[in-house]
């Protein structure tokens, strides 16, 4: 009726997630390669279709959608958890992720604003001075953080 408020997107999200999973169910019946009885092909196709639906309709944040194979593949018997996690948690990936977590934490405590204000106080407000100041601040930060984390932290200032 006209008196009832429309359902919010948060209320419809579980229904949409269930619909995506249900629409992908026929993929579970996909046969394996010729001469094999591998059901892993259908389960893999189903999990990829579900991830694609979640990504396309933004039912989950993209970062969460990207982590779905970590529990879907072992749960569905496609790959063991150790093999899946080795793809995600290589040394470089963990370093990159850790740097972004540090940048997000510094952003939460508003350290980027403190850096910006200190740079303005020390270097002035003229364009050349500003550029020099932010280059110096970025260089100083990158002595202790990797370049990706430093860039991620400096982006809100820009």
């Amino acid at each position: 009726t006209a008196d009832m408020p429309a359902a919010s997107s948060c209320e419809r999200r579980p229904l949409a997630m269930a619909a995506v999973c249900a629409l992908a169910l026929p993929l579970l019946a996909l046969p394996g390669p010729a001469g094999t009885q591998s059901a892993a092909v259908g389960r893999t196709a189903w999990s990829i279709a579900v991830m694609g639906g979640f990504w396309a309709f933004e039912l989950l944040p993209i970062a969460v959608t990207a982590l779905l194979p970590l529990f879907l593949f072992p749960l569905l018997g496609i790959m063991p958890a150790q093999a899946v996690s080795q793809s995600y948690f290589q040394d470089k990936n963990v370093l990159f992720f850790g740097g972004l977590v540090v940048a997000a934490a510094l952003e939460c405590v508003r350290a980027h604003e403190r850096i910006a204000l200190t740079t303005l106080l020390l270097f002035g407000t003229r364009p050349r001075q500003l550029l020099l100041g932010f280059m110096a601040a970025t260089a100083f930060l990158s002595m202790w953080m990797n370049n990706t984390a430093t860039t991620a932290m400096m982006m809100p200032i820009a």
Side-chain angles (χ1 to χ4, degrees):
T1 64
D3 296 336
M4 294 182 61
S8 71
S9 63
C10 290
E11 293 171 359
R12 290 189 301 255
R13 187 170 292 162
L15 182 61
M17 291 171 73
V20 166
C21 292
L23 287 173
L25 279 176
L27 294 174
L28 290 173
L30 283 178
T36 65
Q37 296 296 326
S38 176
V41 172
R43 292 187 297 239
T44 305
W46 179 83
S47 61
I48 291 170
V50 166
M51 286 178 56
F54 285 6
W55 173 77
F57 298 114
E58 297 179 1
L59 299 176
L60 291 175
I62 291 177
V64 175
T65 302
L67 294 173
L68 286 177
L70 276 174
F71 74 89
L72 278 180
F73 284 9
L75 182 70
L76 296 173
I78 298 167
M79 290 175 69
Q82 184 176 6
V84 178
S85 62
Q86 283 178 352
S87 300
Y88 279 88
F89 297 109
Q90 296 173 354
D91 294 343
K92 293 175 186 170
N93 292 351
V94 173
L95 174 69
F96 183 76
F97 179 73
L100 292 177
V101 168
V102 168
L106 290 173
E107 214 175 304
C108 283
V109 296
R110 301 172 72 159
H112 64 290
E113 291 178 13
R114 294 181 191 132
I115 292 168
L117 292 173
T118 303
T119 302
L120 284 171
L121 286 172
L122 292 175
F123 289 91
T125 57
R126 294 199 345 235
R128 285 181 179 230
Q129 293 170 327
L130 275 175
L131 182 60
L132 176 64
F134 285 111
M135 286 173 57
T138 305
F140 182 74
L141 284 172
S142 69
M143 288 183 203
W144 291 279
M145 298 167 50
N146 66 11
N147 291 339
T148 306
T150 303
T151 304
M153 192 176 128
M154 296 301 282
M155 284 304 292
I157 297 173

